Amino acid sequence: MRILLVEDDESLASGLKLALGRACYTVEHVGDGVAAVAALEHNAFDLAILDLGLPRLDGIDVLARVRRAGNAVPVLVLSARDAVRDRIVALDLGADDYLIKPFDVDELLARVRVLERRRAGLSVNQLRFGDLALDLAGMAVSWKNQPIDLQHREFMLLRRLVEQPNKVFTRSELEASLYGWGEGVASNAIDVYVHHVRRKTDPDLIKTVRGLGYRIGNLAT
């Protein structure tokens, strides 16, 4: 899951990036409203975490512009503005949730999981595909009811594939989900992660679609 964090407080942003990264999310950060609009216009994100008191362009204006452009990315507002009217305005403009500062990081992560579940059409924090089960809250994976040990990005790769069974993901799409801006990516990184996941589960779990990329599912190639 790729998240855009829009926060001008560098200390808070750094802490949130660390917490979200530990929860196996890929996080991109911008510090003002104009940069946020540009990032959402030119990049695909699964969630935006949006402060309201931003330099250059207020978060409410960012939200309004994004929705006018037809971008349906889920938006979780983080703000010190605690008046009921502020919450109503943000929610009516298209925000999906509103969390008031100061907040507990565990609550933020729980709200992120709620939006992740909603995006995937889930009612619980679990993704399933056949004998495979992913616990989104505990970041645990089981295969045929037995726990398996996945590395950080192996979990991220598998979660991305299971969220949309039968969808073919190109290597560049998977790299964007697993790596942030400016992170070096080896040319065979995705292939290596796929190999490791197959070895720990089943060689046929992840399908190679020749010339395109990878998918998880039972469609004929």
Side-chain angles (χ1 to χ4, degrees):
M1 187 172 177
R2 191 179 186 205
I3 297 174
L4 177 66
L5 173 62
V6 188
E7 172 59 62
D8 64 324
D9 184 325
E10 291 294 334
S11 177
L12 176 58
S14 178
L16 288 176
K17 284 187 68 175
L18 182 62
L20 290 163
R22 285 175 175 169
C24 289
Y25 298 112
T26 299
V27 184
E28 315 290 6
H29 170 240
V30 295
D32 67 75
V34 172
V37 171
L40 288 166
E41 180 180 355
H42 298 294
N43 300 270
F45 291 96
D46 302 301
L47 173 68
I49 298 177
L50 177 66
D51 183 24
L52 295 186
L54 297 169
R56 300 181 69 194
L57 187 67
D58 189 76
I60 286 293
D61 295 318
V62 171
L63 181 59
R65 291 191 186 191
V66 166
R67 293 305 188 230
R68 280 201 303 268
N71 192 333
V73 61
V75 174
L76 167 57
V77 169
L78 290 183
S79 180
R81 300 175 189 175
D82 59 358
V84 172
R85 182 60 189 166
D86 291 319
R87 300 199 295 274
I88 291 172
V89 168
L91 292 169
D92 280 344
L93 278 173
D96 296 86
D97 198 358
Y98 195 111
L99 185 58
I100 296 171
K101 298 177 181 178
F103 56 88
D104 187 276
V105 172
D106 287 337
E107 181 181 0
L108 171 68
L109 293 174
R111 289 173 184 251
V112 168
R113 289 193 295 272
V114 168
L115 295 175
E116 184 177 12
R117 291 201 310 268
R118 186 182 302 169
R119 172 175 163 272
L122 302 173
S123 58
V124 294
N125 287 320
Q126 188 176 75
L127 286 168
R128 297 194 68 92
F129 182 83
D131 292 322
L132 180 72
L134 285 79
D135 178 356
L136 301 179
M139 291 175 289
V141 181
S142 65
W143 173 253
K144 295 184 177 179
N145 296 318
Q146 297 299 315
I148 59 173
D149 184 23
L150 293 184
Q151 298 300 314
H152 187 86
R153 285 199 169 101
E154 293 168 9
F155 179 88
M156 295 169 73
L157 170 75
L158 199 51
R159 177 174 63 188
R160 189 58 167 157
L161 292 171
V162 176
E163 282 176 341
Q164 294 177 275
N166 295 318
K167 172 180 168 60
V168 178
F169 288 90
T170 65
R171 284 178 176 80
S172 60
E173 286 176 325
L174 292 172
E175 288 171 357
S177 294
L178 272 63
Y179 291 90
W181 292 333
E183 287 189 272
V185 185
S187 60
N188 66 337
I190 299 301
D191 303 322
V192 170
Y193 296 138
V194 168
H195 171 74
H196 288 170
V197 171
R198 284 171 171 165
R199 179 170 52 82
K200 295 174 182 180
T201 55
D202 185 283
D204 293 325
L205 177 66
I206 298 176
K207 310 292 187 182
T208 300
V209 182
R210 194 167 300 173
L212 294 176
Y214 294 103
R215 65 168 171 77
I216 192 167
N218 298 316
L219 291 180
T221 58

